[in-house]
Amino acid sequence: MSQTLGELLVASGALTESALREAQAYQRNGGLRLDEALSKLSLVDEATLFRTLAKEQGLPFVDLDKGRIAPEVLARVPADMAREQGIVPVLEKNGRLVVAIEDPTKRILVDQLRFALGIDVAAALAQPSAMKRALARYYGAAVPENSVARSMKVEDGDENDAPIVRLVTRTFQQALEARASDIHIEPGRVSVRVRFRVDGMLRDVAEHPLHLHAPLVSRLKIMASMDIAERRKPQDGRIGLTVDGREIDVRCSILPSSHGETIVMRLLDRSRSLISLKELGFEDDDYRWFRRQIKRPNGIVLVTGPTGSGKTTTLYGALTELNRPDVKIITAEDPVEYHISGINQVQVNAKIGLTFARILKAMLRAAPNVILVGEIRDKETAEIAIQSALTGHLVFSTLHTNDAPSALTRLVDIGVAPFLVSASVQAVVAQRLVRRLCGECAEAYLPSEAEMRAMGFDPQTIAGRKFRRARGCRTCEGTGYRGRIAVFELLEMDAAIRDLVFHGSGLEAVRKRAAASGALRPLVFDGARKVLRGDTSVNEVVRVTRLAAGEDL
């Protein structure tokens, strides 16, 4: 059996077992390949890493820093193609052209070149730094036209723009390296603060002189197709980027403040694959429960929670489970975050009147089996969604509520008749994201009675059972956490709850009845399971569920 990259590096003495475990943890949490994780952590010399990677992949290794490539060989591949795709032809012998690539996944380019050039083409692996030097030496130091790096060029001959362009580019690159979901740019009295939201928590990353604020905002407005002359009103826009080969969609919002315009940019990495329901955090029994709900032929399944709690990911996971050739699925989204093959996805565009409600009306004429409404925001959208559920469609949507029972009363508050809510809603999932403990440094400890009670445990029942807590290391940048996992609150409608909603009962009555009958499994229940399993800490569950523990934890 062939050895893996990690095994080959350890066997050669280039990497220790502990360093391999560190890289594998970084790889899992960052969604990277092992060679990418090793490069980012600088645990192995680049030349050694790529020689070993070539061996694992069954490719020859080529050192582009040695010797010179014949001009007639270089002419085989157009300069624009070589620069854009990051390839260098190195040798032609017996009618076969060998091209160097720095990423094994680029082997698909070999087939494209074979077709385009009409000759046999083979790949060899080179180290990335040598590839950059070779591209600069043989083809000039140009950058791919579809890369964000082009924004580092001086535009329109104005050299004064270049520093701001480079600052914006570097900010996006650093945000992606830090796994940030948001970038916040906030002007103050004497400086401009830049913060990243990583794993749901904001952290300061930079402070810039105040005189950079105006050109920085102007640059971002231009990229987001906003009005650069408007400084008094809020604005929203979108930026599409390719950063280091990754497609990034940026939702940009500008809000005027007392010290100037603040900017929040939400980053969506389209190059990353969708997370499955189990990866998101569904336990086996919760997963079976959720599958049972989404297999119903009709009704509404609601997912609730604050902004950034993973609602869209849960809904995409449900659609992926249902996506079969015999099922027609149509979505109305704002924005379409991921494109899923086999699903008809419609982008909301309020500027031309393409609202959720209007899309819903139109999609019903397209005979769907399953409908996703990105968010129920008003009475019209809610009523059309409910009528769709009552006429044989399975409808998914989201609401912004604090817990699952609140979704029922929120629909009534919007203006939907209670009897329609009672008849159409099948289940509600409320969720939050908690930070996942770092796999490298989390430590076990005996919890206090206050912590056990906060999780709903009887101290006598789990006496001697250890929990895990954050400590901090290089892998997690001292936070003790890396990545996130969801905790869920599940509510399944039964006859008693439907009757309460039908008669317009208040939230507390619905919540008490659901808890007493077992139809409601609260957030803290799922959080406690993940604490016991060592996925997260008591402090994290308390933070997101806002428990009143009665004493400091």
Side-chain angles (χ1 to χ4, degrees):
M1 191 170 75
S2 59
Q3 288 181 295
T4 65
L5 175 62
E7 291 169 341
L8 288 168
L9 288 167
V10 171
S12 68
L15 191 68
T16 64
E17 289 282 1
S18 61
L20 175 59
R21 286 194 296 273
E22 180 182 352
Q24 287 170 334
Y26 187 82
Q27 171 196 3
R28 287 192 300 272
N29 292 318
L32 306 170
R33 299 193 311 268
L34 181 59
D35 60 291
E36 293 173 325
L38 289 166
S39 292
K40 283 184 177 292
L41 294 173
S42 302
L43 293 173
V44 182
D45 172 69
E46 187 186 53
T48 303
L49 173 61
F50 278 82
R51 284 182 186 278
T52 310
L53 181 60
K55 182 178 179 181
E56 186 219 20
Q57 295 287 327
L59 292 171
F61 178 82
V62 60
D63 188 345
L64 293 175
D65 288 330
K66 291 184 178 178
R68 290 198 64 83
I69 302 170
E72 59 271 20
V73 173
L74 291 170
R76 274 300 206 172
V77 177
D80 287 347
M81 179 185 244
R83 286 194 295 259
E84 185 170 336
Q85 302 294 348
I87 57 175
V88 173
V90 292
L91 176 69
E92 187 174 12
K93 189 174 183 180
N94 300 326
R96 189 185 208 200
L97 180 68
V98 178
V99 296
I101 56 177
E102 90 288 0
D103 183 344
T105 62
K106 285 188 177 180
R107 276 188 282 195
I108 191 172
L109 293 173
V110 170
D111 295 328
Q112 295 173 0
L113 277 172
R114 190 179 292 127
F115 177 78
L117 301 178
I119 60 172
D120 189 19
V121 182
L125 196 64
Q127 61 194 80
S129 61
M131 175 66 75
K132 287 180 182 177
R133 289 190 290 272
L135 287 170
R137 185 187 319 140
Y138 297 118
Y139 295 108
V143 296
E145 282 304 307
N146 65 341
S147 168
V148 74
R150 72 177 167 181
S151 64
M152 297 193 54
K153 295 178 183 177
V154 178
E155 298 178 355
D156 300 326
D158 186 354
E159 295 183 1
N160 293 324
D161 281 346
I164 288 298
V165 172
R166 287 197 295 269
L167 175 62
V168 170
T169 301
R170 191 168 68 246
T171 299
F172 281 123
Q173 290 172 333
Q174 289 173 344
L176 289 175
E177 287 170 6
R179 301 178 298 109
S181 60
D182 304 87
I183 301 171
H184 295 246
I185 299 174
E186 302 161 331
R189 286 194 306 112
V190 294
S191 63
V192 180
R193 179 171 66 166
V194 179
R195 295 194 288 175
F196 293 165
R197 190 181 295 279
V198 180
D199 293 336
M201 306 296 284
L202 281 169
R203 61 173 70 162
D204 288 339
V205 293
E207 276 202 12
H208 303 308
L210 196 57
H211 72 267
L212 290 180
H213 178 250
L216 183 60
V217 171
S218 294
R219 172 65 185 167
L220 290 168
K221 282 182 177 179
I222 290 169
M223 295 176 73
S225 301
M226 295 181 186
D227 182 357
I228 62 170
E230 180 57 72
R231 295 185 177 89
R232 300 168 301 167
K233 297 177 182 177
Q235 294 191 70
D236 294 300
R238 301 277 293 277
I239 301 172
L241 299 170
T242 302
V243 182
D244 298 331
R246 296 159 65 180
E247 285 188 30
I248 309 299
D249 184 54
V250 183
R251 278 184 273 171
C252 187
S253 296
I254 291 183
L255 181 68
S257 72
S258 58
H259 294 295
E261 292 172 294
T262 66
I263 305 175
V264 177
M265 293 178 287
R266 188 154 192 200
L267 309 180
L268 177 68
D269 188 349
R270 292 187 183 275
S271 66
R272 297 189 68 174
S273 58
L274 279 170
I275 300 173
S276 70
L277 292 173
K278 288 210 169 180
E279 288 174 318
L280 184 62
F282 273 101
E283 303 288 334
D284 288 342
D285 55 340
D286 291 349
Y287 178 65
R288 287 191 295 271
W289 178 92
F290 191 63
R291 276 181 58 88
R292 191 171 75 249
Q293 305 307 320
I294 66 176
K295 295 290 184 180
R296 294 175 183 268
N298 54 60
I300 293 183
V301 176
L302 294 170
V303 180
T304 77
T307 301
S309 59
K311 300 186 297 296
T312 302
T313 304
T314 298
L315 289 176
Y316 275 144
L319 294 185
T320 303
E321 295 262 347
L322 297 172
N323 190 13
R324 303 190 310 269
D326 61 329
V327 176
K328 179 157 187 176
I329 303 173
I330 306 181
T331 74
E333 303 174 60
D334 185 21
V336 175
E337 294 193 6
Y338 289 96
H339 296 280
I340 307 174
S341 177
I343 293 178
N344 305 279
Q345 296 171 270
V346 183
Q347 170 73 53
V348 169
N349 188 344
K351 291 181 181 178
I352 61 171
L354 200 60
T355 61
F356 280 118
R358 188 169 180 182
I359 295 170
L360 256 177
K361 289 177 182 176
M363 70 168 60
L364 290 174
R365 295 193 289 271
N369 303 105
V370 179
I371 294 170
L372 166 66
V373 186
E375 185 182 345
I376 292 177
R377 295 175 178 172
D378 52 49
K379 180 182 177 182
E380 185 183 12
T381 306
E383 287 185 336
I384 300 170
I386 285 173
Q387 292 297 339
S388 304
L390 295 175
T391 53
H393 302 87
L394 180 61
V395 180
F396 295 100
S397 193
T398 68
L399 277 173
H400 289 281
T401 64
N402 289 329
D403 60 9
S406 298
L408 305 173
T409 54
R410 175 63 58 85
L411 289 174
V412 175
D413 291 341
I414 287 173
V416 180
F419 76 91
L420 289 175
V421 177
S422 171
S424 60
V425 178
Q426 299 291 350
V428 185
V429 176
Q431 66 184 72
R432 300 287 189 281
L433 293 177
V434 295
R435 290 181 294 171
R436 194 190 289 268
L437 284 166
C438 174
E440 296 298 302
C441 66
E443 60 182 8
Y445 74 103
L446 285 172
S448 67
E449 287 194 10
E451 289 176 307
M452 288 188 273
R453 289 198 183 95
M455 293 294 96
F457 297 128
D458 179 358
Q460 303 300 322
T461 306
I462 63 165
R465 184 74 178 263
K466 289 188 174 182
F467 291 179
R468 296 174 78 213
R469 62 186 173 195
R471 191 176 64 183
C473 66
R474 187 174 70 169
T475 300
C476 61
E477 298 177 348
T479 64
Y481 299 94
R482 188 170 178 85
R484 289 189 289 177
I485 190 170
V487 290
F488 300 95
E489 179 170 271
L490 311 177
L491 172 64
E492 184 170 6
M493 297 290 281
D494 60 20
I497 298 172
R498 290 187 193 281
D499 187 58
L500 286 173
V501 175
F502 181 88
H503 288 98
S505 299
L507 176 59
E508 279 307 311
V510 173
R511 186 182 285 127
K512 286 179 182 178
R513 182 67 188 84
S517 66
L520 175 68
R521 275 184 272 182
L523 272 175
V524 69
F525 175 80
D526 192 34
R529 288 191 296 185
K530 290 178 167 70
V531 167
L532 271 182
R533 202 172 59 196
D535 289 334
T536 190
S537 66
V538 173
N539 287 341
E540 272 297 288
V541 175
V542 170
R543 180 178 65 84
V544 301
T545 58
R546 293 176 172 85
L547 286 177
E551 55 184 282
D552 293 336
L553 297 181

